[in-house]
Amino acid sequence: FPSHDNYGERDTTLKYNLLVLGVIIALILLIDSHITTLHENQRYSLLATKLAIESYKRKDYEEALKNLDLAIEFTPKDTSLYKARGDVLLRLHRYDEAIQDYEKLIELNPSETDAYNKKIFVLFKKSDYNDAIETCDLVISKTNEKNHLIYVYIMKATILKEMEEYEPSLDYIEKALFLEPDNKKAMEIKQYLLEQLNLISK
């Protein structure tokens, strides 16, 4: 006959196995609940984004902003939402907040070139020329992508032009034209710079 000790061991093993099974079931339920929540959040975020797009088309930027705020609450790591909200904030002339969203986008996706471009543009709109130039230099040091470089060279030239730093501005316009000789914007700025430099030399 089985001894009392054997019964005790079997009882302990059974309790242990039931405990392990209970933990496993609890984890499965937790994971399932988490996945369900993620799917629901994505669905709500998508709905809020669609409403934001409709509001943006109607030029109701305040309503678009509210819906984008809601979408970001549901999916805070969706980089496209920060770009969209930054663009809406830019429309509302809320420049500091727009920069925060572009910086968040850069934080989440450092290779997102458009975020750098938008940040430079907003800093320029704010007349925050030193920070704009600093951001231009950062981009120039980080990228070899032709179209991105052309944009940044032209933006830096434009900023320097506003600061009446005509010769350094011309240097960056020449860099842009070297990459794209028929760039109309660059040619227009070059013409203006040459006229200013000619006036100064007289």
Side-chain angles (χ1 to χ4, degrees):
F1 293 100
S3 69
H4 183 270
D5 289 342
N6 286 340
Y7 279 122
E9 286 176 15
R10 260 192 258 172
D11 186 51
T12 302
T13 302
L14 179 61
K15 287 179 180 177
Y16 176 76
N17 289 340
L18 286 172
L19 177 63
V20 171
L21 181 61
V23 171
I24 291 170
I25 291 171
L27 284 172
I28 290 170
L29 291 172
L30 182 63
I31 291 168
D32 183 60
S33 173
H34 182 64
I35 290 170
T36 301
T37 301
L38 285 176
H39 287 161
E40 287 178 352
N41 286 350
Q42 288 171 347
R43 187 165 68 250
Y44 293 142
S45 177
L46 182 59
L47 177 60
T49 303
K50 286 180 179 178
L51 291 171
I53 291 169
E54 291 303 316
S55 299
Y56 189 86
K57 287 178 180 177
R58 297 194 308 270
K59 297 186 179 180
D60 187 350
Y61 301 126
E62 291 288 356
E63 187 63 25
L65 182 60
K66 289 177 185 176
N67 283 302
L68 285 169
D69 286 343
L70 189 59
I72 288 172
E73 280 185 33
F74 286 120
T75 51
K77 291 188 178 181
D78 186 338
T79 55
S80 65
L81 295 176
Y82 292 101
K83 179 182 181 299
R85 191 170 69 177
D87 291 349
V88 171
L89 289 164
L90 181 57
R91 289 278 186 177
L92 292 168
H93 306 290
R94 291 164 62 171
Y95 297 136
D96 289 334
E97 293 169 85
I99 287 174
Q100 287 176 7
D101 272 349
Y102 296 137
E103 287 178 342
K104 181 65 176 180
L105 176 52
I106 291 167
E107 177 191 323
L108 292 171
N109 183 9
S111 63
E112 178 60 65
T113 57
D114 193 47
Y116 287 99
N117 292 349
K118 291 288 179 66
K119 181 180 177 182
I120 292 166
F121 179 75
V122 177
L123 289 168
F124 172 69
K125 291 285 285 184
K126 285 181 63 187
S127 300
D128 195 346
Y129 297 143
N130 289 331
D131 281 351
I133 286 174
E134 187 177 313
T135 307
C136 286
D137 290 339
L138 175 65
V139 174
I140 290 166
S141 72
K142 288 173 68 113
T143 186
N144 292 315
E145 202 275 310
K146 179 181 173 182
N147 290 333
H148 196 197
L149 279 174
I150 291 168
Y151 176 85
V152 176
Y153 286 149
I154 291 174
M155 281 303 302
K156 185 167 182 180
T158 303
I159 295 162
L160 290 166
K161 175 172 72 71
E162 291 299 311
M163 298 171 70
E164 299 184 357
E165 299 282 348
Y166 299 131
E167 287 189 11
S169 177
L170 185 60
D171 289 341
Y172 280 96
I173 282 299
E174 294 290 11
K175 288 176 186 287
L177 288 170
F178 177 78
L179 295 175
E180 189 177 20
D182 59 349
N183 186 289
K184 290 183 180 179
K185 180 70 174 176
M187 287 191 288
E188 288 172 5
I189 294 173
K190 181 177 180 178
Q191 180 63 34
Y192 174 85
L193 293 171
L194 290 173
E195 288 171 0
Q196 295 303 310
L197 287 168
N198 186 48
L199 287 171
I200 292 169
S201 64
K202 286 182 178 180

